[in-house]
Amino acid sequence: IDGVYLAICLDIMPQGMIGLLITGLFAATVSTMDTGLNKNTGIFILIFYLTILRPGAGERELVAASKITTVIFGVVVILSGLYFSQLHELSLFNLMMQFTGLVSVPIGIPLMWGIFYKRTPSWSGWSTVLVGLLVSLVMGNLTFFFGPDAYQRILFLDTPMALSEKADVIFLLGVIGNLVVGSLWFLGTTRWYDKEPPEFRNKVEAFFETMRTPVNFAKEHGASADRTQLRILGYLSFAYGSFVGLLALIPNDWLGRGCFLAIGLLIGGVGALLLRAGRTARDG
């Protein structure tokens, strides 16, 4: 299953297009990974390191700790990828689906409810994540807890499920179980909200007041740089479009050459529009 996409691309795409495809895949992966590493490092440093381990840490120490944490998280991701590559009985697609249903959903539930509902104690968020991960552990290992035909009995099936069908069922049960149990747990902690100290409740009120306040760009961010940004993006897009258009010189049939020209014109056209918008925009 994992190789179907690449096989189709090799069979259909014109000569030279595979290089662009691989470049795009690498670019998409790197842009996602560095954002994730920065996000997770920021969460760890601000919420755990600065709050619990080193409350009086200075800026230089926080920067150094952030660099070390980023390297550690990067190594963990690489080792996890090497481990996942050994799971031959589970395709990459099903692996990502199960990760979303069993790990990402428990993390997302308190984030979702926390935006709309404020009367929960300080421990409701992380406790909801732990409860969700426990639900995921059970849903992903029903055969261990309730026997080898547990999934078959839940769906009232007479015949055993295929391996691919089992992966879909685990994903579905993980999402439903986490949405139900996680939501009930998060909202159920509201009875302990009044026992929180006034300082915490004041922070909660201030947070929601900030969310309801419209953004004042000039006050919060200062001068804008629209013109500069439009010009930079315009020049980059125009350069990328020109390069892709030149790939039409690669020996291909008329359809392959036309694909390169069409893509190049599209990207270059976007660059021209950005440059045009940059002439009328102004910084500050």
Side-chain angles (χ1 to χ4, degrees):
I1 296 177
D2 297 336
V4 171
Y5 180 70
L6 182 59
I8 294 175
C9 294
L10 289 172
D11 185 60
I12 295 178
M13 285 187 171
Q15 296 293 327
M17 190 71 77
I18 294 297
L20 290 178
L21 171 66
I22 295 176
T23 302
L25 292 176
F26 274 111
T29 303
V30 171
S31 63
T32 303
M33 286 304 303
D34 59 12
T35 302
L37 288 175
N38 289 335
K39 176 192 67 176
N40 295 331
T41 298
I43 292 173
F44 173 80
I45 294 297
L46 294 178
I47 296 180
F48 184 76
Y49 186 87
L50 183 60
T51 304
I52 299 176
L53 294 182
R54 297 280 295 173
E59 185 173 333
R60 293 177 62 88
E61 180 182 344
L62 293 177
V63 172
S66 298
K67 293 179 179 179
I68 296 174
T69 304
T70 301
V71 173
I72 294 175
F73 284 169
V75 172
V76 170
V77 171
I78 293 174
L79 294 178
S80 300
L82 293 175
Y83 170 73
F84 292 148
S85 66
Q86 305 301 317
L87 302 177
H88 301 295
E89 72 279 0
L90 192 63
S91 68
L92 181 61
F93 176 79
N94 287 329
L95 176 64
M96 295 306 300
M97 291 292 291
Q98 290 193 20
F99 181 86
T100 301
L102 302 180
V103 179
S104 298
V105 173
I107 297 175
I109 288 176
L111 296 176
M112 176 188 69
W113 284 115
I115 296 177
F116 305 102
Y117 191 73
K118 63 182 179 180
R119 294 185 57 83
T120 55
S122 58
W123 47 268
S124 60
W126 61 263
S127 64
T128 301
V129 174
L130 291 180
V131 170
L133 292 176
L134 180 61
V135 173
S136 298
L137 179 64
V138 175
M139 293 301 178
N141 298 274
L142 285 180
T143 54
F144 176 80
F145 294 103
F146 303 104
D149 59 342
Y151 296 105
Q152 179 181 339
R153 286 188 282 111
I154 288 178
L155 299 178
F156 302 101
L157 299 177
D158 297 328
T159 58
M161 292 187 301
L163 185 61
S164 59
E165 294 175 331
K166 182 179 177 181
D168 295 335
V169 171
I170 292 176
F171 167 75
L172 184 62
L173 292 178
V175 172
I176 295 176
N178 275 292
L179 287 176
V180 174
V181 178
S183 298
L184 290 176
W185 178 273
F186 183 86
L187 298 176
T189 59
T190 187
R191 60 180 299 179
W192 286 277
Y193 177 76
D194 293 331
K195 297 181 181 179
E196 291 290 329
E199 294 81 5
F200 173 78
R201 284 181 285 175
N202 291 336
K203 289 182 179 180
V204 173
E205 294 296 335
F207 170 78
F208 278 88
E209 181 63 27
T210 302
M211 288 186 58
R212 290 190 293 266
T213 303
V215 176
N216 188 329
F217 186 87
K219 180 180 179 180
E220 298 179 19
H221 299 278
S224 64
D226 292 345
R227 182 179 181 182
T228 302
Q229 293 175 357
L230 287 170
R231 292 180 62 186
I232 293 174
L233 291 176
Y235 284 127
L236 286 174
S237 298
F238 193 79
Y240 294 155
S242 301
F243 172 76
V244 174
L246 289 175
L247 295 180
L249 299 176
I250 297 176
N252 279 300
D253 56 21
W254 66 269
L255 181 59
R257 295 175 185 265
C259 289
F260 283 116
L261 287 176
I263 296 173
L265 288 174
L266 177 61
I267 300 175
V270 172
L273 292 175
L274 291 173
L275 289 173
R276 181 180 179 182
R279 295 192 187 99
T280 58
R282 54 175 67 175
D283 292 338

